[in-house]
Amino acid sequence: NAGVTQTPKFQVLKTGQSMTLQCAQDMNHNSMYWYRQDPGMGLRLIYYSASEGTTDKGEVPNGYNVSRLNKREFSLRLESAAPSQTSVYFCASSERGSPYTEAFFGQGTRLTVV
Amino acid sequence: ILNVEQSPQSLHVQEGDSTNFTCSFPSSNFYALHWYRWETAKSPEALFVMTLNGDEKKKGRISATLNTKEGYSYLYIKGSQPEDSATYLCAFHSGTYKYIFGTGTRLKVLA
């Protein structure tokens, strides 16, 4: 029972490099989310996808793009990494995006940009 | 931007002590308030989903109350144990497909 799977778990990038964080869920959830977690800041929403085929900006979308590839997969792309994007990234999913259903989280990706 | 605040930011308690912490959220456009437990090096896991004013939820030694009119929720832990050490997050949901998280309360229970 995998739940939400993120890859990679750790990554070091040089400034200006690009990379894609992958996320897949096997719970048949409609809604998926990308958050970043920084010390003292809590979880901040980068992008979300209410359902397959739709994506919307969250609180801190600058420097990121997303793709909802299908119902299972939601990727986050950094086109030109910057040190300010050093963070821990969490993917999450929920059933239908309903307020009454909990979000399920992946294990996180720790990204360092040097 | 909706603001969700949690206090205290961190606390240390002795094993066996009871403790509580607060989540403050906007009192308008309220749909649900979620509590999550987040252990170090793991991912957050849901504790409670609270939807009605006056709601009380309980799971073992952990319970939560909700006041939507004044915009706060309390999480209580009775007889804290070292395994309760974690960060406790609350998340406000205003019905727009997204959860707004607080910064968390980091609890350390000393044996």
Side-chain angles (χ1 to χ4, degrees):
Chain A
N1 188 8
V4 180
T5 304
Q6 288 182 237
T7 55
K9 287 188 169 54
F10 301 93
Q11 184 72 49
V12 179
L13 288 179
K14 293 182 179 178
T15 297
Q17 285 186 315
S18 62
M19 79 161 294
T20 300
L21 280 63
Q22 306 287 352
C23 175
Q25 50 90 10
D26 62 3
M27 295 173 283
N28 203 35
H29 286 170
N30 286 303
S31 301
M32 298 185 73
Y33 313 83
W34 275 105
Y35 290 90
R36 59 178 288 173
Q37 190 258 330
D38 302 293
M41 301 291 285
L43 289 166
R44 291 185 293 168
L45 183 65
I46 304 170
Y47 271 93
Y48 67 102
S49 170
S51 60
E52 186 180 354
T54 68
T55 61
D56 285 285
K57 295 179 181 179
E59 188 183 350
V60 287
N62 291 344
Y64 305 95
N65 285 303
V66 290
S67 295
R68 183 74 183 268
L69 304 169
N70 47 54
K71 191 172 185 179
R72 287 187 66 246
E73 298 171 288
F74 188 38
S75 63
L76 178 72
R77 182 160 178 84
L78 287 70
E79 291 291 351
S80 178
S84 61
Q85 293 178 305
T86 293
S87 188
V88 182
Y89 292 85
F90 285 94
C91 177
S93 70
S94 69
E95 186 182 357
R96 299 192 310 274
S98 164
Y100 313 117
T101 58
E102 64 193 87
F104 291 81
F105 287 82
Q107 296 280 61
T109 296
R110 186 174 295 275
L111 175 67
T112 303
V113 183
V114 298
Chain B
I1 303 253
L2 298 172
N3 203 29
V4 177
E5 297 183 352
Q6 292 187 246
S7 62
Q9 193 171 4
S10 66
L11 75 161
H12 291 69
V13 301
Q14 291 294 132
E15 182 176 358
D17 286 351
S18 295
T19 187
N20 65 85
F21 18 94
T22 306
C23 173
S24 300
F25 53 85
S27 55
S28 59
N29 295 322
F30 176 87
Y31 277 74
L33 193 284
H34 296 237
W35 280 100
Y36 289 83
R37 182 171 180 273
W38 190 2
E39 291 182 71
T40 303
K42 295 187 178 180
S43 50
E45 292 185 347
L47 282 171
F48 305 117
V49 179
M50 310 183 77
T51 58
L52 298 174
N53 186 45
D55 222 357
E56 291 190 26
K57 301 273 185 177
K58 187 174 182 182
K59 185 181 289 188
R61 294 178 292 97
I62 303 177
S63 60
T65 61
L66 179 68
N67 184 323
T68 60
K69 293 182 179 179
E70 296 183 36
Y72 65 85
S73 176
Y74 293 136
L75 190 80
Y76 300 91
I77 302 179
K78 185 178 179 182
S80 302
Q81 299 298 309
E83 58 265 30
D84 295 328
S85 297
T87 295
Y88 292 84
L89 291 172
C90 66
F92 170 81
H93 203 304
S94 64
T96 55
Y97 291 101
K98 49 194 186 214
Y99 308 84
I100 306 298
F101 283 85
T103 54
T105 292
R106 192 164 46 250
L107 173 67
K108 177 74 172 175
V109 181
L110 304 171

